[in-house]
Amino acid sequence: MDVLDRPFREQFDVFLDEHRRVLDSCLEGLTEEQARRSLVPSRTTLLGLVKHATFVEKVWFDEAVTCRSRAEIGIPDTPDESFVLDDEDTIASVRQAYREACEASREAASNLELDDLVRGNRRGPLPLRWVYLHLLRELAQHGGHADILREQILSD
């Protein structure tokens, strides 16, 4: 979708959704073993990246917007913990949770303007514009990680 001449908010939304789709699609066609395969010393796996992205959505569009605590939301306290996979985590369940988190994020931000402050983040009040930029940076970084991991997995 060409959004060059569209309002900034629409541009942000389109770019953000594009990065969300990249992460969601990184699991397509993989086996459960491939999705969980660890290729680096950290906890980073393809399934873990998407699970972490779900955490990120909830931090920025639930915690920051609603001011609910991470415990109330039901997410880990730290980003590192969000990569941890449980036995019940599957490609289908993690993708579904991510899609639901993305939809909840869209809904939470729908009535906000880019200069509106979100007050529930640990850094203090931040404009929604900053949240969008931060999320774009984070999802782009993780999308790159996912591309590399997927390439390595599929080349075996």
Side-chain angles (χ1 to χ4, degrees), residues 20 23 47 69 80 84 86 90 99 118 121 136 143-144:
R20 287 169 170 152
L23 272 176
L47 195 61
S69 72
D80 190 49
V84 175
D86 301 320
T90 65
R99 290 173 183 166
V118 296
N121 187 264
L136 282 168

Side-chain angles (χ1 to χ4, degrees), residues 20-75:
R20 287 169 170 152
R21 276 190 299 280
V22 165
L23 272 176
D24 181 51
S25 68
C26 79
L27 297 169
E28 287 179 5
L30 298 181
T31 66
E32 295 293 333
E33 182 278 326
Q34 288 172 318
R36 289 174 167 272
R37 191 176 298 167
S38 178
L39 301 171
V40 294
S42 71
R43 293 178 170 163
T44 305
T45 63
L46 284 172
L47 195 61
L49 278 171
V50 178
K51 188 172 181 180
H52 170 71
T54 302
F55 165 84
V56 169
E57 293 282 345
K58 290 181 178 189
V59 164
W60 290 108
F61 291 103
D62 193 339
E63 180 183 34
V65 173
T66 69
C67 298
R68 295 189 313 149
S69 72
R70 292 180 185 189
E72 289 175 279
I73 297 167
I75 58 175

Side-chain angles (χ1 to χ4, degrees), residues 84-151:
V84 175
L85 298 173
D86 301 320
D87 290 342
E88 63 271 5
D89 288 328
T90 65
I91 292 170
S93 69
V94 169
R95 286 182 86 184
Q96 182 64 32
Y98 183 54
R99 290 173 183 166
E100 289 171 5
C102 291
E103 184 55 38
S105 295
R106 285 184 205 94
E107 180 63 29
S110 67
N111 294 321
L112 299 174
E113 299 296 327
L114 290 175
D115 291 327
D116 287 348
L117 295 180
V118 296
R119 300 185 182 282
N121 187 264
R122 295 173 179 189
R123 290 177 173 96
L126 297 165
L128 183 64
R129 177 184 322 275
W130 189 95
V131 171
Y132 268 55
L133 289 169
H134 178 79
L135 201 61
L136 282 168
R137 179 182 62 194
E138 179 141 352
L139 294 179
Q141 177 183 13
H142 292 319
H145 295 149
D147 284 345
I148 292 167
L149 290 175
R150 185 176 168 88
E151 182 179 330

